[in-house]
Amino acid sequence: MKLSDDKIQLKSKLFYHYFEPIANRLSEIDYAIIKGEPLSYYAYGDFGKRYFNDIDLLVSKEDLKCVRAVLEENSFIPVRDDKFARALSLGYAHQIIPYVKRIGSFSVYIDVNFNIFWGEYTGEQVSVKEFLNGTVLMQIYNCTVKTLSPVKFFIQLILHHYKDLNSIYLLSTQKTIRLSLFRDLYYYFVNNVSNIPIDELMKCCTNYKINDYVYYVLFYTCVLFDNEELKKYRDAFRTNQGELLLNKYGLNEKERKEWRIDFDTRLKNGILYDFIKDDLSEAEIRNIEVNRKIFMSE
């Protein structure tokens, strides 16, 4: 059942009430809240305007030990805590096992991400320490947190969306190709375009070697939302490789496959496993089940 804005705001206030002591402890390290309430504020002008399940943190791998300690000091525990799950998430994913704090029947979830890319990424990595340079402070209810600068916020959002649109695991287990994903990006863009100068964005993305992914996400956003300024950004990022990605899914060249269904069909259907299962290898099917056990343990 879809929650009203009032109920989302109430949920958010509770989440950030329990996150406040963590934010205070983490104020001396580099981190950023990504997506979630910062995205709600920047895209829609207020908190509680989009549904969320957790608070997402971005930190460097070097600071994971500190973050874990602070979470555990505040009675957050991993939703699943065994050596296999920890090793697999660190080795093959972009985040550690989610943390949860249970207060009666209410649960507060925190995801800790240590990479702006995905576990399957085979390109040149970006230093998360460097990516976190220039974070800005944001007041979410009574909690002061750090979030990304506008250009890096936009980049992180695009990379997150590219992952959701192309992950074989997510396509097989969740409805990740959805209108709300593109709507979030569109409204973030139109309400913050003055803070996302195209020259700065292009310089940053070229340095990170992600222009193909930026083009992919902007292309499909423009399919759904007609905006001349956004089209200028899309066209500026057009590459031959980006064009080739448009009818493919998968997060690296080794696993990339051609879609058998068009974008409209992808958007209008839910979990797409039945549309892609015939293209998957036995190893990929096993990998889906392993990840399901780790990240959907509840």
Side-chain angles (χ1 to χ4, degrees):
M1 182 178 67
K2 185 177 180 180
L3 296 181
S4 66
D5 287 357
D6 287 346
K7 289 184 178 179
I8 294 173
Q9 286 184 346
L10 176 59
K11 177 182 176 181
S12 180
K13 286 178 182 178
L14 287 169
F15 267 53
Y16 279 91
H17 169 75
Y18 289 107
F19 184 72
E20 185 177 4
I22 295 168
N24 292 338
R25 286 289 313 278
L26 296 182
S27 62
E28 298 304 313
I29 75 163
D30 295 321
Y31 83 91
I33 301 287
I34 54 176
K35 303 179 297 178
E37 289 294 45
L39 176 56
S40 179
Y41 182 81
Y42 285 134
Y44 304 110
D46 199 0
F47 302 121
K49 295 296 184 181
R50 54 188 299 280
Y51 184 77
F52 70 97
N53 291 308
D54 47 44
I55 294 175
D56 275 282
L57 298 181
L58 177 65
V59 302
S60 68
K61 263 192 174 182
E62 297 92 325
D63 288 324
L64 280 178
K65 184 176 180 180
C66 172
V67 173
R68 276 199 183 108
V70 171
L71 288 171
E72 290 166 10
E73 286 169 11
N74 286 274
S75 303
F76 282 82
I77 60 172
V79 297
R80 176 179 172 183
D81 194 18
D82 60 67
K83 290 182 179 179
F84 172 72
R86 285 196 179 203
L88 195 66
S89 66
L90 279 172
Y92 298 100
H94 61 282
Q95 65 187 74
I96 60 175
I97 303 300
Y99 274 71
V100 62
K101 179 171 185 171
R102 305 190 194 282
I103 309 97
S105 61
F106 185 74
S107 296
V108 179
Y109 290 91
I110 295 178
D111 275 1
V112 183
N113 303 265
F114 55 83
N115 199 334
I116 64 171
F117 294 114
W118 38 90
E120 298 88 344
Y121 185 69
T122 55
E124 186 176 326
Q125 290 290 340
V126 170
S127 165
V128 172
K129 279 280 190 186
E130 182 277 328
F131 194 77
L132 289 167
N133 284 343
T135 53
V136 296
L137 295 178
M138 172 177 277
Q139 190 82 11
I140 302 179
Y141 305 113
N142 295 318
C143 182
T144 302
V145 303
K146 299 178 187 180
T147 191
L148 296 169
S149 63
V151 168
K152 289 180 178 176
F153 199 104
F154 192 54
I155 289 171
Q156 191 280 325
L157 192 59
I158 284 173
L159 291 174
H160 172 268
H161 285 8
Y162 183 83
K163 171 184 67 74
D164 275 10
L165 294 166
N166 284 276
S167 164
I168 289 174
Y169 165 68
L170 292 177
L171 293 169
S172 300
T173 58
Q174 304 175 34
K175 178 173 173 52
T176 57
I177 302 181
R178 57 194 189 276
L179 181 61
S180 61
L181 180 149
F182 297 100
R183 184 191 300 120
D184 285 347
L185 187 114
Y186 174 72
Y187 281 105
Y188 181 85
F189 175 82
V190 297
N191 289 315
N192 297 274
V193 63
S194 62
N195 295 316
I196 315 170
I198 195 166
D199 291 345
E200 183 181 345
L201 181 66
M202 178 65 74
K203 181 179 178 181
C204 205
C205 293
T206 301
N207 183 45
Y208 296 155
K209 299 180 174 61
I210 59 172
N211 290 2
D212 303 339
Y213 308 129
V214 176
Y215 174 69
Y216 179 101
V217 175
L218 295 185
F219 177 91
Y220 282 118
T221 306
C222 287
V223 168
L224 296 168
F225 296 93
D226 187 15
N227 180 279
E228 292 304 316
E229 191 67 18
L230 185 60
K231 288 177 183 177
K232 292 177 185 177
Y233 279 65
R234 175 201 65 189
D235 293 345
F237 281 93
R238 180 179 282 120
T239 64
N240 290 335
Q241 183 59 31
E243 290 278 1
L244 291 173
L245 290 177
L246 292 177
N247 198 40
K248 294 182 180 179
Y249 66 95
L251 289 173
N252 60 45
E253 198 57 44
K254 183 179 178 181
E255 70 174 30
R256 206 160 274 140
K257 309 173 199 309
E258 292 277 346
W259 278 110
R260 299 184 186 218
I261 53 176
D262 62 18
F263 177 68
D264 190 56
T265 304
R266 293 174 232 163
L267 188 67
K268 290 179 178 176
N269 280 273
I271 295 170
L272 298 176
Y273 182 72
D274 287 342
F275 293 98
I276 67 175
K277 62 184 179 181
D278 291 341
D279 296 326
L280 303 181
S281 67
E282 290 183 6
E284 286 168 334
I285 292 172
R286 284 198 302 272
N287 190 52
I288 290 168
E289 291 309 311
V290 169
N291 279 278
R292 190 196 301 270
K293 289 177 182 177
I294 292 174
F295 293 107
M296 299 179 73
S297 59
E298 295 200 323

